[in-house]
Amino acid sequence: MQPTSFPINLRHACSTRRSVSEICRQLGVNRQQFNRYVNGEAIPSPHNLARIAAFFGVRPADFSLDPALFELRLVSAAGGAFGTDVLHTCFPGNLPSLRRHLGYYQTYHVSLSWPGMIVCSCARLDEHEGAVRVKSIERIQDRPHEIRQFSKYLGLASFLRNRIFVVERSTGPEPMIAQTILTPFETHQRIYLRGMTMGVSWRKQNLPYASRVIWRHLGTDTDRRQLLSRCGVLPPGSRQLPPTVREFLDASENPAISIPFSEV
C-alpha cells in the first residue's frame, strides 16, 4: 500500500458518510486511532483494513489506488451496494458492545411445529475477522411420532441501537431465513437475553410465525456434548426449564403467532 494514497482515499471515503464519529461507532473502532489513519500517522492492521474496506464496499487493496481511480471504484461500489453492501455494513454494528455477548447459549422458543411444547436449541456467537458469526443447532427426537430432526443455521449478529439483531439461514438444499431480535443484558443480570424470533415452521405447511425467545448464556467455554444433549422439545412444566425461561414464555397469551396463507 502506498502510504500517501491511503489517507487521501480514506478521507474521501469518509466524506461520503455523515460523520467520522458515526463511522467509528458503526465499525467499533477507537476514534483517536481512526483519526491517526485519516491523518496518515498510522496504517491499520490487515484485520482493521479489511473491516474498513467492507464498510465502504471496496476491497482492501483499493485503498492503494491512485485517488482518482479510488473515487471511481468507490462510486461503482456505491452504485451496486443497495442490495448487498449497504446491508452488510450493519454487521457487526457496535462491535465492543457485541463482544460482551460472545459465547454459548441454550435457547428456548415456542414453535408451530410442536404445538404446546417449548423447543430447546443451542447457539454460539463468536468473532471472526471483524464479524460476529452465529451458529445455531436444533436437534429434536420425537419418539412417539418417529421423528428425528436436525437443523443447523449459520448467520451474522449485529448490535444496533441497544439491540442485538441475528440473521440466519438454514443449511441444506432448500435454505430458509430466520431473524431474532434480543434485548442486551440488564445491569444486574448477565445470563438471559430476551426477545422475539421470526421464521418458517418446519411442519404446518411452512407457515411464517413469530414467537417469544429467550437465550441463556453459558459462557465462552462449555461442554458441547451436554449442550447438545439438552436440545429437544419440552412441555411447559418441565423441570429442565429454568424458572426464568418458563416465566418469560408463559407471560404471553399468544406465545407463537402465525399468518395462514389464506389470510395473506
Side-chain angles (χ1 to χ4, degrees):
M1 178 185 298
Q2 300 177 10
T4 56
S5 64
F6 174 76
I8 295 173
N9 291 338
L10 181 59
R11 285 196 293 271
H12 177 73
C14 291
S15 71
T16 64
R17 302 303 172 98
R18 183 178 302 175
S19 68
V20 172
S21 296
E22 180 179 314
I23 294 171
C24 293
R25 185 167 54 253
Q26 293 188 27
L27 279 171
V29 175
N30 180 274
R31 172 66 186 270
Q32 292 183 339
Q33 183 62 31
F34 194 82
N35 283 341
R36 296 185 65 203
Y37 301 156
V38 172
N39 295 329
E41 299 172 0
I43 297 295
S45 65
H47 171 77
N48 282 341
L49 178 60
R51 292 174 56 202
I52 293 171
F55 180 83
F56 290 109
V58 297
R59 300 172 303 176
D62 290 338
F63 281 100
S64 65
L65 295 173
D66 177 85
L69 293 176
F70 179 79
E71 290 186 23
L72 292 176
R73 181 63 56 84
L74 193 64
V75 170
S76 176
F82 183 80
T84 55
D85 294 335
V86 166
L87 179 61
H88 188 73
T89 60
C90 293
F91 296 89
N94 189 332
L95 184 56
S97 294
L98 192 53
R99 283 182 176 137
R100 295 197 291 267
H101 305 280
L102 299 180
Y104 291 89
Y105 290 85
Q106 203 84 58
T107 70
Y108 306 85
H109 75 284
V110 179
S111 171
L112 288 183
S113 299
W114 312 96
M117 304 290 280
I118 293 173
V119 176
C120 175
S121 308
C122 59
R124 182 190 181 191
L125 301 183
D126 76 292
E127 183 179 349
H128 179 72
E129 296 183 353
V132 173
R133 304 179 301 186
V134 184
K135 180 179 180 180
S136 301
I137 293 178
E138 189 173 282
R139 189 176 72 169
I140 296 173
Q141 292 188 25
D142 185 349
R143 290 186 175 87
H145 296 91
E146 299 183 348
I147 293 175
R148 297 183 64 185
Q149 175 194 348
F150 183 89
S151 302
K152 183 166 68 173
Y153 298 82
L154 302 174
L156 294 172
S158 173
F159 194 104
L160 298 169
R161 299 187 66 177
N162 202 36
R163 291 292 182 270
I164 299 171
F165 295 85
V166 175
V167 179
E168 303 171 276
R169 55 154 286 179
S170 60
T171 60
E174 297 183 357
M176 297 183 183
I177 293 176
Q179 180 180 355
T180 300
I181 303 176
L182 300 166
T183 301
F185 296 139
E186 300 170 2
T187 304
H188 303 292
Q189 187 279 115
R190 301 285 175 175
I191 297 178
Y192 292 101
L193 298 174
R194 300 171 174 85
M196 295 289 295
T197 188
M198 182 175 68
V200 176
S201 62
W202 178 66
R203 300 156 76 186
K204 301 292 183 181
Q205 299 177 322
N206 296 143
L207 293 177
Y209 75 93
S211 71
R212 286 190 168 208
V213 65
I214 182 167
W215 290 26
R216 184 173 187 266
H217 191 240
L218 301 176
T220 55
D221 190 19
T222 191
D223 188 321
R224 301 182 187 180
R225 289 187 177 180
Q226 286 190 9
L227 187 67
L228 282 170
S229 69
R230 290 192 289 264
C231 293
V233 288
L234 302 170
S238 172
R239 293 183 178 181
Q240 296 183 47
L241 291 174
T244 301
V245 172
R246 189 183 304 114
E247 292 169 6
F248 179 74
L249 295 180
D250 285 347
S252 174
E253 294 181 359
N254 298 303
I257 302 173
S258 176
I259 303 177
F261 287 124
S262 60
E263 298 181 8
V264 176

